[in-house]
Amino acid sequence: MKSGQLQINGLTAILNQHFQWNKARMDCFVGILVALMGVGTQLALAFPRLGADTAALPSDATVF
């Protein structure tokens, strides 16, 4: 079994301790989490300074 699949299985096991969902729902949820983490990683690589420096903003600016 591949390392990525082992990590997904581990994440599923951890989440199963907290959520008593059926296998189909848990597999879907874990798939969504993995996809979001992948997109977040790609965004972080594409925009490395996004949100990294807020010193240029006025002191009364709202940062989201």
Side-chain angles (χ1 to χ4, degrees):
M1 199 178 293
K2 294 183 181 179
S3 174
Q5 185 62 40
L6 289 174
Q7 292 175 343
I8 290 172
N9 290 344
L11 177 59
T12 302
I14 291 169
L15 291 173
N16 273 327
Q17 295 173 1
H18 300 282
F19 304 106
Q20 299 304 314
W21 293 344
N22 65 29
K23 184 179 182 332
R25 182 173 292 178
M26 184 59 71
D27 288 346
C28 181
F29 183 67
V30 169
I32 291 170
L33 286 178
V34 169
L36 286 173
M37 287 187 281
V39 169
T41 301
Q42 290 174 5
L43 287 175
L45 293 174
F47 303 102
R49 294 194 43 93
L50 184 63
D53 186 0
T54 58
L57 297 174
S59 61
D60 61 344
T62 302
V63 179
F64 294 97

